[in-house]
Amino acid sequence: MSFRIAVIPGDGIGKEVIAQGLRIIEAATARHGGECDFTTYDIGADRYLRTGEMLPESIFSELRQAGAIYLGAIGDPRVKDPRYAAAILLRLRFELDLWVNLRPARLITTELTPLKDVNSIDLVVVRENTEGAYAGIGGQFKRDTADEVAIQEDINTRKGVERIIRYAFTLAEERRRSGVGKGRVTMVDKSNALYHAHDLWQRVFAELRNQTKGIEAEHLFVDVAAMQLVKDPSRFDVLVTSNMFGDILSDLTSQLVGGLGLAPSGNINPDSRRGLFEPVHGSAPKHAGKGIANPLGAILSGALMLRHLGAEPAAAAIEDAVDAAVRARCTTRDLGGELSTEAAAEAVLERLAPKNEQ
Ligand code: NAD
Ligand code: IPM
Ligand code: MN
């Protein structure tokens, strides 16, 4: 198998973790008889500050053609334009219609959770990724005056809500069949306050909840979901929620299992099979250039990408190697180890099982 992968290292630690992720992806695919054809694009703050371009059309049309996109992070304190992330990252999510944002959180060892008496966490946040408060609809009126008005609309379409909730049920069923899931979908909204927008989520959830046999469907308001995630994270399996709540809850769930440095994500369109894979974290400017960023979130995002591309053995091999490296405490400082970014990736590389040993 050969994979055509567009790479956007981006900004800050994005560049450092993607460099390591590429080594692991390449080694894992080679050991399982595949081949990667990477094309790297210098999209990011350096380019913007040099040329004024955020995401040129010629590059955008090449990204459309890629088998998958592998991205580090977008964000740089030197860029003052607040539309910067929207012009690159959100544009790719929206215009490629990557409507599922998958953000799994799995506890590799109990030492990594800040919670007491928690033995297992294995959940996935399914975040709606193409609408909600992120749709960019709104405006400013009488800007920079005492009478200023700022409006940002929360867009919820029946099509958008239906496809993401349906996806959550399908994922819960797959997870239950493969033995990892508990057979539960938790729909998280704020319909008691947002009684126009999130009432739509309620009605769609009521329509779809009985269509998947054997999957328990529960509803939590987002405030209580945040509380329950801290109180008893083991009870969660698949959480489905809106774009903004998914953004917030997935930083929370990542800390439950070790922190942002370890959290992977996939932005996927299950119909077109397009996908963009990136760690949940951002460019962490204060850590950039020091060689201390944890590469595991980027590496695990690479595993999600290979799984999406059909290379399951290579994906599973990467995840197993990451688990083994973490258990051996061969990690960066954020996970309690003392390795550099490069050495932490090396520790994963050493543990990637060659094909004939599997
Ligand atoms: P951040 O995720 O970049 O970092 C927050 C903190 O988490 C860091 O200070 C660090 O302590 C820790 N952290 C994150 N990743 C780590 C890693 N790999 N290893 C070790 N520790 C890690 O969030 P922020 O500081 O709010 O955002 C910085 C910039 O990144 C902003 O411009 C923001 O908009 C952008 N951002 C981009 C993305 C993305 O591209 N997907 C995601 C989040 C934030
Ligand atoms: C993420 C990030 C982005 C988001 C920002 C950079 C726009 O926080 O991918 O989680 O909010 O989706
Ligand atoms: Mn975020």
Side-chain angles (χ1 to χ4, degrees), residues 90 92-102 125-132 157-171 201 240-243 266-276:
L90 301 186
L92 288 168
R93 290 177 184 165
F94 292 174
E95 292 190 27
L96 301 182
D97 197 22
L98 306 175
W99 50 271
V100 180
N101 192 333
L102 272 187
V125 175
V126 174
R127 168 186 182 191
E128 199 296 315
N129 212 28
T130 48
E131 46 185 54
T157 67
R158 177 166 279 272
K159 178 178 150 193
V161 175
E162 211 171 282
R163 67 186 181 178
I164 199 71
I165 292 180
R166 203 184 289 283
Y167 181 89
F169 278 104
T170 307
L171 178 65
W201 283 73
V240 61
T241 192
S242 65
N243 207 337
N267 304 263
I268 294 166
N269 182 318
D271 316 312
S272 69
R273 306 292 303 158
R274 284 204 171 103
L276 182 160

Side-chain angles (χ1 to χ4, degrees), residues 75 100 105 135 167 185 199 202 207-208 214-215 228 232-233 262 302 338 346:
V100 180
Y167 181 89
V185 170
D199 178 59
Q202 285 284 333
E207 283 165 24
L208 296 180
I215 300 294
Q228 282 290 348
D232 185 12
L262 191 57
E338 47 193 34
E346 200 67 45

Side-chain angles (χ1 to χ4, degrees), residues 103 127 134 247-248 250-251 280:
R103 296 191 154 185
R127 168 186 182 191
Y134 278 57
D247 176 47
I248 298 165
S250 58
D251 267 32
V280 173

Side-chain angles (χ1 to χ4, degrees), residues 199-210:
D199 178 59
L200 174 61
W201 283 73
Q202 285 284 333
R203 284 180 284 122
V204 170
F205 189 58
E207 283 165 24
L208 296 180
R209 62 183 299 158
N210 297 320

Side-chain angles (χ1 to χ4, degrees), residues 14-326:
K15 293 180 185 158
E16 299 166 47
V17 297
I18 289 300
Q20 300 310 318
L22 291 175
R23 294 171 68 200
I24 308 287
I25 293 168
E26 192 147 45
T29 40
R31 281 173 206 195
H32 292 274
E35 206 186 329
C36 290
D37 174 9
F38 297 118
T39 308
T40 300
Y41 295 91
D42 68 334
I43 296 297
D46 290 340
R47 183 194 192 99
Y48 171 66
L49 294 170
R50 201 176 62 240
T51 68
E53 294 169 317
M54 291 185 182
L55 179 50
E57 290 315 306
S58 57
I59 294 185
F60 183 73
S61 55
E62 285 186 38
L63 294 173
R64 261 185 195 287
Q65 308 303 323
I69 303 170
Y70 187 47
L71 183 143
I74 300 296
D76 187 303
R78 294 172 299 166
V79 178
K80 302 297 174 211
D81 187 336
R83 295 171 190 242
Y84 175 56
I88 301 176
L89 185 59
L90 301 186
R91 179 171 179 208
L92 288 168
R93 290 177 184 165
F94 292 174
E95 292 190 27
L96 301 182
D97 197 22
L98 306 175
W99 50 271
V100 180
N101 192 333
L102 272 187
R103 296 191 154 185
R106 183 174 58 86
L107 187 61
I108 299 174
T109 90
T110 53
E111 287 163 31
L112 290 181
T113 184
L115 303 177
K116 284 182 293 186
D117 305 327
V118 170
N119 296 316
S120 103
I121 300 172
D122 193 335
L123 60 83
V124 185
V125 175
V126 174
R127 168 186 182 191
E128 199 296 315
N129 212 28
T130 48
E131 46 185 54
Y134 278 57
I137 297 181
Q140 297 174 345
F141 180 53
K142 299 188 181 176
R143 191 187 157 115
D144 293 330
T145 73
D147 297 324
E148 177 158 359
V149 179
I151 294 174
Q152 194 95 35
E153 299 285 0
D154 186 8
I155 309 302
N156 293 260
T157 67
R158 177 166 279 272
K159 178 178 150 193
V161 175
E162 211 171 282
R163 67 186 181 178
I164 199 71
I165 292 180
R166 203 184 289 283
Y167 181 89
F169 278 104
T170 307
L171 178 65
E173 201 174 13
E174 273 170 28
R175 281 167 57 86
R176 192 191 48 166
R177 245 189 276 123
S178 66
V180 292
K182 302 163 194 76
R184 178 178 296 146
V185 170
T186 307
M187 193 279 273
V188 175
D189 69 19
K190 190 66 190 171
S191 48
N192 49 354
L194 308 183
Y195 52 80
H196 300 303
H198 286 186
D199 178 59
L200 174 61
W201 283 73
Q202 285 284 333
R203 284 180 284 122
V204 170
F205 189 58
E207 283 165 24
L208 296 180
R209 62 183 299 158
N210 297 320
Q211 290 182 14
T212 317
K213 287 208 171 54
I215 300 294
E216 183 194 338
E218 71 166 352
H219 167 260
L220 293 177
F221 295 120
V222 66
D223 44 357
V224 86
M227 178 277 284
Q228 282 290 348
L229 278 165
V230 174
K231 186 178 175 202
D232 185 12
S234 307
R235 68 188 285 290
F236 288 95
D237 180 12
V238 175
L239 280 102
V240 61
T241 192
S242 65
N243 207 337
M244 185 146 74
F245 293 166
D247 176 47
I248 298 165
L249 292 180
S250 58
D251 267 32
L252 192 159
T253 56
S254 79
Q255 192 61 49
L256 295 177
V257 299
L260 274 173
L262 191 57
S265 82
N267 304 263
I268 294 166
N269 182 318
D271 316 312
S272 69
R273 306 292 303 158
R274 284 204 171 103
L276 182 160
F277 298 82
E278 50 167 348
V280 173
H281 67 73
S283 56
K286 72 176 183 201
H287 296 322
K290 298 181 182 159
I292 57 170
N294 187 345
L296 298 182
I299 290 172
L300 290 170
S301 302
L304 292 182
M305 176 167 74
L306 290 175
R307 178 166 294 123
H308 177 77
L309 292 169
E312 174 59 35
I318 292 176
E319 288 167 349
D320 290 347
V322 167
D323 283 19
V326 169

